[in-house]
């Protein structure tokens, strides 16, 4: 095979007619241009059978081995009578395995001498396995990998999906075979819950090689059009779409059994712990669901309006006075803390002229104040720091370091009725943190830190390494996942 034009190694597609390799449409589009250049002008005459055969219309993704037809503008499920497409897949897999084996031999001595990057390390004098598994980058999919690794370390949430029974979407001759989904298939033929379950089961198995989540990614493409392609995406936006679609699908149920029923029977989460968002409760709302009280007061007549809003995460502004600070040790006033961001979110705020409140007593829009209270805290508190904001026509990044605690985040002072909470019922410990490296939302790179059985890991796509608390606390957090403390331990507070 030969590769030409831009020499990009992102999203390579091999033409099944001539074996040339070009980049996909979401890189520089040379694979599509190759198809277009191969078309024969058909002005004023009919296409002959010979001309039909030389059209370079079908290509294969060299990473996931999916087949695509540019003429149909869709993925191809069927093979030829001689099984030629499958033979190409097997050939590509053999090439990849050969390259991987050679690479593994070259790195073996290095890995044996490095306890941090190897699968074996010493803990308390004994050798143990590094059980974490990385996720392959399918072409700027680090945003997805960082979220998946973070969610896999939310134990109660992850265990629920791993314990679900497998859903067989195919039967008859296709049962047990891998399906390459097409956009023409109905939504009943794909299951986000099932592919999410399979991905979580593949992690923490102690595999020597990274897991490739292409099946999950193609389901994401099918049901979440915003994430089609290989361009960089916002990890927070992906997390919200993922949780929302998992929630909706879990309400629907499979094989006549509602997932909500399974939740009630198996999860041990009582009805009082559930927060309903868009219908019946699911494990998504039971774990991440909280409730805000939004108070608005008219400054003219004093009329107060209250409403309750369910949430799965809280998006916090980084206060403007800290936005020029970029590092923890920069000498320019105090360091911004997570508490500063939470206080900015919950403090009384006077709405500006563009947000005038429609007062029902005054019967017109008036100046008003707004304040948030947390009416109910979730089991897992997800905090999103708003690092990207629009200025004129550009979306800039706020690169300020925000200090956050690993243990003992105390949320009691933000509660509507703190007197009804126990002394330790509002304490949270950090489970995972997503970090964005780079300057823009459409560029850069995402990684995640997460704790598992008392050890901190750094997840960087295929690479997983042990790390320490000192490294974690220096990270410029983008999304923080805090888990409600269960046992009484420590008194550290934010």
């Amino acid at each position: 095979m030969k590769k030409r034009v831009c020499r990009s190694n992102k999203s390579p597609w091999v033409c099944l007619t001539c074996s040339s390799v070009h980049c996909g449409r979401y890189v520089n589009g040379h694979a599509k241009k190759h198809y277009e250049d191969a078309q024969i002008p058909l002005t004023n005459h009919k296409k002959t059978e010979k001309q039909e055969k030389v059209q370079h219309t079908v290509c294969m993704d060299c990473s996931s081995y999916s087949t695509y037809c540019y003429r149909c503008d869709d993925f191809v499920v069927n093979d030829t009578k001689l099984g030629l497409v499958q033979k190409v897949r097997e050939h590509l897999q053999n090439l990849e395995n050969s390259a991987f084996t050679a690479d593994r031999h070259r790195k073996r001595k290095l890995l044996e001498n490095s306890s941090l990057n190897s699968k074996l390390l010493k803990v308390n004098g004994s050798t143990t396995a590094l059980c974490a598994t990385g996720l392959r980058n399918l072409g700027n999919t680090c945003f997805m990998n960082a979220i998946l690794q973070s969610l896999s370390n939310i134990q109660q949430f992850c265990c629920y999906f791993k314990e679900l029974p497998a859903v067989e979407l195919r039967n008859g001759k296709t049962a047990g075979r891998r399906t390459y989904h097409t956009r023409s298939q109905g939504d009943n033929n794909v299951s986000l819950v099932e592919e999410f379950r399979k991905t979580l089961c593949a992690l923490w198995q102690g595999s020597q090689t990274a897991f490739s989540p292409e099946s999950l990614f193609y389901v994401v493409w099918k049901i979440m059009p915003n994430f089609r392609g290989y361009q960089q995406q916002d990890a927070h936006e992906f997390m919200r779409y993922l949780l929302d679609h998992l929630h909706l699908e879990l309400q629907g149920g499979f094989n006549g059994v509602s997932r909500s029923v399974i939740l009630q029977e198996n999860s041990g989460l009582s009805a009082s712990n559930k927060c309903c968002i868009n219908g019946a409760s699911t494990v998504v709302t039971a774990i991440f669901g909280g409730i805000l009280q939004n108070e608005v007061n008219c400054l003219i007549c004093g009329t107060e309006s209250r409403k309750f809003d369910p949430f799965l995460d809280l998006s916090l502004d980084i206060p403007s006075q800290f936005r020029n600070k970029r590092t923890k040790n920069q000498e320019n006033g105090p360091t911004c803390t997570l508490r500063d961001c939470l206080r900015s979110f919950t403090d009384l705020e006077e709405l500006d002229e563009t947000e005038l409140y429609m007062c029902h007593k005054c019967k017109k829009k008036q100046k008003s104040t707004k304040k948030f209270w947390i009416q109910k805290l979730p089991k897992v508190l997800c905090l999103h720091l708003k690092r990207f904001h629009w200025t004129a026509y550009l979306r800039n990044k706020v690169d300020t370091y925000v200090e956050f605690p690993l243990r003992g985040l105390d949320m009691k002072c933000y509660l509507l009725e703190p007197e009804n909470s126990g002394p330790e019922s509002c304490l949270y410990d950090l489970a995972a943190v997503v970090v964005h490296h780079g300057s823009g939302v459409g560029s850069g790179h995402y990684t995640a830190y997460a704790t598992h059985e008392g050890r901190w890991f750094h997840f960087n796509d295929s690479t997983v390494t042990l790390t320490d608390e000192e490294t974690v606390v220096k990270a410029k957090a983008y999304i923080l996942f805090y888990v409600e403390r269960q046992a009484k331990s420590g008194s550290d507070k934010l």
Side-chain angles (χ1 to χ4, degrees):
M1 288 185 287
K2 52 186 176 178
K3 190 167 183 177
R4 298 174 294 189
V5 190
C6 68
R7 296 183 180 180
S8 172
N9 60 0
K10 295 181 179 179
S11 183
W13 291 80
V14 56
C15 175
L16 297 188
T17 301
C18 67
S19 298
S20 62
V21 180
H22 296 90
C23 64
R25 69 172 72 194
Y26 297 109
V27 183
N28 292 313
H30 290 128
K32 186 177 181 183
K33 187 176 187 302
H34 172 70
Y35 154 71
E36 293 170 345
D37 291 344
Q39 300 309 294
I40 299 174
L42 301 175
T43 308
N44 299 325
H45 63 82
K46 293 184 178 180
K47 191 185 300 181
T48 67
E49 184 178 351
K50 184 176 180 180
Q51 289 172 326
E52 175 75 29
K53 290 182 179 179
V54 298
Q55 305 305 301
H56 299 237
T57 59
V58 181
C59 56
M60 181 179 290
D61 187 334
C62 297
S63 299
S64 66
Y65 314 124
S66 298
T67 309
Y68 194 85
C69 176
Y70 278 109
R71 179 178 299 168
C72 302
D73 195 26
D74 206 346
F75 287 98
V76 179
V77 177
N78 300 326
D79 203 340
T80 65
K81 291 182 180 180
L82 298 177
L84 297 178
V85 174
Q86 183 58 29
K87 288 181 179 179
V88 175
R89 285 195 185 107
E90 292 172 357
H91 179 64
L92 289 174
Q93 287 175 324
N94 290 335
L95 289 174
E96 183 179 21
N97 291 337
S98 298
F100 179 78
T101 302
D103 188 57
R104 179 187 291 178
H105 286 306
R106 286 195 300 269
K107 294 180 179 178
R108 179 172 291 172
K109 288 186 178 180
L110 176 63
L111 291 174
E112 287 174 350
N113 295 329
S114 174
S115 63
L116 189 64
N117 294 317
S118 70
K119 288 291 176 180
L120 295 177
L121 64 151
K122 286 188 176 181
V123 178
N124 297 328
S126 62
T127 302
T128 182
L130 180 62
C131 53
T133 300
L135 286 168
R136 284 183 58 184
N137 192 312
L138 305 178
N140 285 327
T141 56
C142 56
F143 68 92
M144 178 177 74
N145 292 347
I147 294 298
L148 292 176
Q149 293 286 15
S150 298
L151 294 178
S152 78
N153 286 281
I154 308 296
Q155 295 304 312
Q156 198 172 10
F157 183 72
C158 179
C159 288
Y160 169 82
F161 285 94
K162 289 166 67 174
E163 293 171 2
L164 286 176
V167 177
E168 184 53 67
L169 297 176
R170 304 175 296 281
N171 49 44
K173 293 183 178 180
T174 60
R177 294 184 187 175
R178 180 177 178 182
T179 297
Y180 294 85
H181 297 298
T182 73
R183 290 194 291 255
S184 60
Q185 289 180 302
D187 288 339
N188 292 332
N189 291 315
V190 296
S191 168
L192 181 65
V193 170
E194 176 65 359
E195 295 303 336
F196 185 67
R197 181 193 70 81
K198 290 177 183 177
T199 301
L200 293 182
C201 287
L203 302 176
W204 300 106
Q205 297 296 311
S207 174
Q208 292 281 328
T209 59
F211 177 73
S212 183
E214 75 269 10
S215 295
L216 173 62
F217 194 40
Y218 279 119
V219 173
V220 168
W221 276 27
K222 187 170 183 67
I223 65 177
M224 306 180 201
N226 291 12
F227 297 96
R228 287 179 185 165
Y230 295 98
Q231 64 270 36
Q232 184 65 281
Q233 302 280 1
D234 186 345
H236 174 251
E237 185 180 1
F238 172 75
M239 182 197 75
R240 285 306 313 268
Y241 270 88
L242 178 67
L243 292 179
D244 287 345
H245 281 276
L246 287 172
H247 172 64
L248 291 173
E249 190 173 311
L250 285 167
Q251 291 180 78
F254 292 91
N255 298 332
V257 180
S258 170
R259 296 288 195 178
S260 297
V261 173
I262 298 175
L263 169 68
Q264 294 168 5
E265 293 176 350
N266 298 333
S267 70
L269 298 171
S270 65
S272 62
N273 288 330
K274 297 174 185 176
C275 171
C276 294
I277 299 175
N278 298 327
S281 176
T282 68
V283 69
V284 175
T285 52
I287 298 292
F288 292 96
I291 300 175
L292 284 176
Q293 177 177 291
N294 184 358
E295 290 182 358
V296 180
N297 283 276
C298 176
L299 291 177
I300 305 303
C301 69
T303 299
E304 183 181 88
S305 173
R306 296 180 182 177
K307 70 173 184 175
F308 294 96
D309 297 316
F311 67 87
L312 294 178
D313 70 321
L314 297 178
S315 290
L316 311 178
D317 280 308
I318 296 174
S320 57
Q321 66 266 32
F322 297 108
R323 289 189 182 179
N324 290 327
K325 293 197 63 179
R326 294 182 175 270
T327 63
K328 182 178 181 179
N329 299 321
Q330 186 171 325
E331 296 180 4
N332 183 21
T335 299
C336 180
T337 67
L338 189 58
R339 183 163 189 162
D340 292 319
C341 300
L342 283 165
R343 188 185 296 115
S344 175
F345 179 79
T346 56
D347 275 356
L348 189 69
E349 172 191 4
E350 183 172 338
L351 300 177
D352 59 32
E353 296 291 334
T354 62
E355 300 178 288
L356 293 178
Y357 165 65
M358 183 63 191
C359 178
H360 297 291
K361 186 174 182 181
C362 299
K363 300 190 184 303
K364 64 178 181 178
K365 291 184 176 182
Q366 301 282 31
K367 286 187 176 182
S368 58
T369 60
K370 178 180 71 173
K371 179 172 177 59
F372 283 120
W373 294 96
I374 298 177
Q375 197 268 340
K376 174 188 172 296
L377 283 165
K379 288 187 171 296
V380 174
L381 178 65
C382 180
L383 301 175
H384 161 235
L385 299 179
K386 295 159 109 176
R387 291 198 174 274
F388 301 104
H389 65 101
W390 288 99
T391 57
Y393 300 103
L394 298 175
R395 197 178 186 191
N396 293 331
K397 181 181 178 183
V398 180
D399 207 30
T400 303
Y401 170 78
V402 177
E403 189 175 81
F404 56 90
L406 293 181
R407 286 174 287 275
L409 171 62
D410 192 352
M411 296 295 294
K412 192 169 186 176
C413 61
Y414 310 108
L415 280 178
L416 181 64
E417 299 175 341
E419 65 277 4
N420 295 334
S421 302
E424 286 200 355
S425 63
C426 302
L427 292 181
Y428 287 80
D429 299 322
L430 189 67
V433 54
V434 173
V435 181
H436 178 269
H437 312 266
S439 58
V441 66
S443 59
H445 182 59
Y446 288 98
T447 66
Y449 294 95
T451 180
H452 184 82
E453 297 181 350
R455 293 180 292 173
W456 280 95
F457 294 86
H458 184 214
F459 298 91
N460 183 4
D461 287 334
S462 299
T463 305
V464 182
T465 56
L466 272 174
T467 187
D468 51 40
E469 293 184 354
E470 289 73 20
T471 301
V472 176
V473 296
K474 292 177 183 177
K476 292 181 181 178
Y478 182 46
I479 307 172
L480 296 148
F481 296 87
Y482 281 95
V483 177
E484 182 182 47
R485 181 180 293 179
Q486 299 296 323
K488 292 184 178 181
S489 62
S491 58
D492 299 335
K493 295 184 179 181
L494 176 65

